Amino acid sequence: MEFTKPLLKGKLIKRYKRFFVDAIVDNKVVTAHCPNTGSMMGLLSKGNDVYLLEHGDPKRKLKFGLEIIKANKNLVGINTHMANKIVNHGLSNNLIDELKGIKKIKSEVFFNKETRFDFLIERKKEKIFVEVKNVTLFRDKKTAEFPDAITKRGSKHLLTLIDAIKKGYKSYLIYLVQIQNMENFKIAKDIDSEYYKNYLFAKKAGVNFLAYRCKISSKRIFIEKKLKIIND
């Protein structure tokens, strides 16, 4: 996925009220929208490089949006709204080895009255639900982790993916690692032990888990490489 225009580089001052960040750009303090409501653990140190997208829409309250943070020498894509666009691009261009040859892709499809999954895809006679989780947490140089906070919604998605299998669908969960230089992925069971238990339960029930790393720059982000899941 390409950004609509090159990103502007600045320095992080602080994030506050979940949706706002202050940064210095061209020696001026600007306030940008933060499109990530998670904890963003390990990314918010004052002085980190940030990359902002300048919006041209006069109806927007904030002129800038935060897209990338550089933390511990790695660029990290923090815009959770980009994750599905990146995966859609990956599915459409056969960048995900396990899900090549897709005939039809539908986004935001309801499975039941309470839950919708990110994608319903069709391949030959298969119908496959795909859920995407954006990954921005890393606590060592080579291993990305999810989640970065307790996620009851994440656990609910795991259990519903099992229900989808019982009704004849195949189920995939893709951990989209928007972090440079990662080689492995694991569930952060010390952060959310319940999610880890449900992950193991879902894996045993037949849910397919994938982790893919993105290639990130100030011009574009796209799926680059499959990572090894090391919880198993």
Side-chain angles (χ1 to χ4, degrees):
M1 292 299 301
E2 295 196 6
F3 293 108
T4 53
K5 59 181 74 173
L7 303 183
L8 302 174
K9 187 177 180 181
K11 292 286 185 181
L12 179 66
I13 299 174
K14 64 178 179 178
R15 177 209 194 190
Y16 54 100
K17 295 181 180 179
R18 296 176 76 187
F19 296 104
F20 301 94
V21 294
D22 286 346
I24 298 174
V25 179
D26 293 332
N27 296 315
K28 296 180 181 179
V29 176
V30 302
T31 299
H33 175 246
C34 179
N36 187 321
T37 60
S39 75
M40 295 173 66
M41 181 188 296
L43 304 180
L44 298 172
S45 297
K46 183 177 180 180
N48 279 355
D49 289 341
V50 292
Y51 294 82
L52 309 179
L53 180 64
E54 185 175 4
H55 299 287
D57 185 353
K59 295 180 181 179
R60 292 182 65 99
K61 292 182 179 179
L62 295 175
K63 185 178 180 181
F64 299 96
L66 177 62
E67 296 289 338
I68 297 171
I69 294 177
K70 190 172 185 179
N72 297 319
K73 301 181 179 179
N74 291 324
L75 294 178
V76 182
I78 63 86
N79 188 344
T80 55
H81 304 298
M82 282 284 285
N84 283 10
K85 295 179 181 179
I86 295 167
V87 171
N88 198 338
H89 174 268
L91 291 169
S92 301
N93 291 276
N94 291 318
L95 300 181
I96 301 171
D97 290 340
E98 295 81 1
L99 295 172
K100 289 183 176 180
I102 300 302
K103 291 184 177 181
K104 202 180 282 188
I105 303 172
K106 295 180 181 179
S107 300
E108 299 290 331
V109 177
F110 278 95
F111 171 69
N112 56 34
K113 292 181 179 180
E114 296 181 351
T115 304
R116 62 183 175 184
F117 293 120
D118 292 319
F119 299 101
L120 174 62
I121 59 179
E122 294 183 22
R123 180 177 58 185
K124 296 181 180 179
K125 295 181 180 180
E126 293 180 324
K127 289 189 175 182
I128 306 167
F129 276 116
V130 179
E131 180 66 14
V132 178
K133 298 299 179 187
N134 193 57
V135 179
T136 61
L137 174 63
F138 64 108
R139 292 183 285 185
D140 64 43
K141 292 182 179 180
K142 295 295 180 183
T143 303
E145 299 180 70
F146 181 89
D148 64 1
I150 291 174
T151 172
K152 292 183 179 179
R153 183 169 180 267
S155 282
K156 178 184 174 183
H157 279 145
L158 291 176
L159 298 177
T160 310
L161 285 169
I162 296 172
D163 290 341
I165 292 173
K166 293 176 181 177
K167 292 188 177 181
Y169 296 90
K170 292 192 73 172
S171 292
Y172 278 80
L173 195 150
I174 298 175
Y175 295 104
L176 187 72
V177 178
Q178 287 200 65
I179 312 167
Q180 285 181 319
N181 300 315
M182 299 294 104
E183 296 294 336
N184 305 304
F185 170 83
K186 69 178 182 179
I187 305 298
K189 57 184 177 181
D190 62 312
I191 293 176
D192 191 343
S193 59
E194 189 66 22
Y195 183 85
Y196 178 65
K197 290 176 184 176
N198 287 320
Y199 160 79
L200 294 177
F201 182 49
K203 182 176 174 59
K204 188 174 182 180
V207 176
N208 298 281
F209 291 92
L210 304 173
Y212 272 83
R213 184 183 80 195
C214 294
K215 187 174 180 64
I216 302 173
S217 74
S218 60
K219 294 182 178 179
R220 61 185 66 88
I221 302 177
F222 58 90
I223 287 175
E224 177 184 33
K225 180 182 178 181
K226 183 179 179 180
L227 302 185
K228 181 179 180 182
I229 298 177
I230 58 175
N231 285 105
D232 303 333

CSV table of all heavy atoms in Angstrom, one decimal, residues 9 60 67 86 93 109 152 174:
chain,number,residue,atom,x,y,z
A,9,LYS,N,8.6,13.9,8.3
A,9,LYS,CA,9.4,13.4,9.5
A,9,LYS,C,9.4,14.5,10.6
A,9,LYS,O,9.5,15.7,10.4
A,9,LYS,CB,10.8,13.1,9.1
A,9,LYS,CG,11.6,12.4,10.2
A,9,LYS,CD,13.0,12.0,9.7
A,9,LYS,CE,13.8,11.4,10.7
A,9,LYS,NZ,15.2,11.0,10.2
A,60,ARG,N,-11.5,17.7,8.0
A,60,ARG,CA,-10.8,17.0,9.1
A,60,ARG,C,-10.4,18.0,10.2
A,60,ARG,O,-9.9,19.1,9.9
A,60,ARG,CB,-9.5,16.3,8.6
A,60,ARG,CG,-9.8,15.1,7.7
A,60,ARG,CD,-8.5,14.4,7.4
A,60,ARG,NE,-7.8,13.9,8.5
A,60,ARG,CZ,-7.9,12.6,8.9
A,60,ARG,NH1,-8.6,11.7,8.2
A,60,ARG,NH2,-7.3,12.1,9.9
A,67,GLU,N,1.5,7.9,11.2
A,67,GLU,CA,1.6,6.6,10.5
A,67,GLU,C,2.7,5.7,11.0
A,67,GLU,O,2.5,4.5,11.0
A,67,GLU,CB,1.7,6.9,9.0
A,67,GLU,CG,0.6,7.7,8.3
A,67,GLU,CD,-0.7,6.8,8.2
A,67,GLU,OE1,-0.5,5.6,8.2
A,67,GLU,OE2,-1.8,7.4,8.1
A,86,ILE,N,-3.4,-3.5,3.8
A,86,ILE,CA,-2.1,-4.2,3.5
A,86,ILE,C,-2.4,-5.6,3.2
A,86,ILE,O,-1.8,-6.2,2.3
A,86,ILE,CB,-1.1,-4.0,4.7
A,86,ILE,CG1,-0.7,-2.5,4.8
A,86,ILE,CG2,0.1,-4.9,4.4
A,86,ILE,CD1,0.0,-2.2,6.1
A,93,ASN,N,-2.4,-9.9,-4.5
A,93,ASN,CA,-1.1,-10.0,-5.3
A,93,ASN,C,-0.3,-11.3,-4.9
A,93,ASN,O,0.9,-11.3,-5.2
A,93,ASN,CB,-0.3,-8.8,-5.1
A,93,ASN,CG,-0.9,-7.5,-5.7
A,93,ASN,OD1,-0.7,-7.3,-6.9
A,93,ASN,ND2,-1.6,-6.7,-4.9
A,109,VAL,N,-17.1,-9.0,6.7
A,109,VAL,CA,-18.3,-9.8,6.5
A,109,VAL,C,-18.8,-10.4,7.9
A,109,VAL,O,-18.0,-10.9,8.7
A,109,VAL,CB,-17.9,-11.0,5.6
A,109,VAL,CG1,-19.1,-12.0,5.5
A,109,VAL,CG2,-17.5,-10.5,4.3
A,152,LYS,N,-10.0,-8.8,25.4
A,152,LYS,CA,-11.2,-9.6,25.4
A,152,LYS,C,-11.8,-9.8,24.0
A,152,LYS,O,-12.3,-10.9,23.6
A,152,LYS,CB,-12.2,-9.1,26.4
A,152,LYS,CG,-11.8,-9.1,27.8
A,152,LYS,CD,-12.9,-8.6,28.7
A,152,LYS,CE,-12.4,-8.7,30.2
A,152,LYS,NZ,-13.5,-8.2,31.1
A,174,ILE,N,-4.3,-13.8,10.7
A,174,ILE,CA,-3.0,-13.3,10.3
A,174,ILE,C,-2.5,-12.3,11.3
A,174,ILE,O,-3.2,-11.2,11.5
A,174,ILE,CB,-3.1,-12.7,8.9
A,174,ILE,CG1,-3.5,-13.8,7.9
A,174,ILE,CG2,-1.8,-12.1,8.4
A,174,ILE,CD1,-3.8,-13.3,6.5
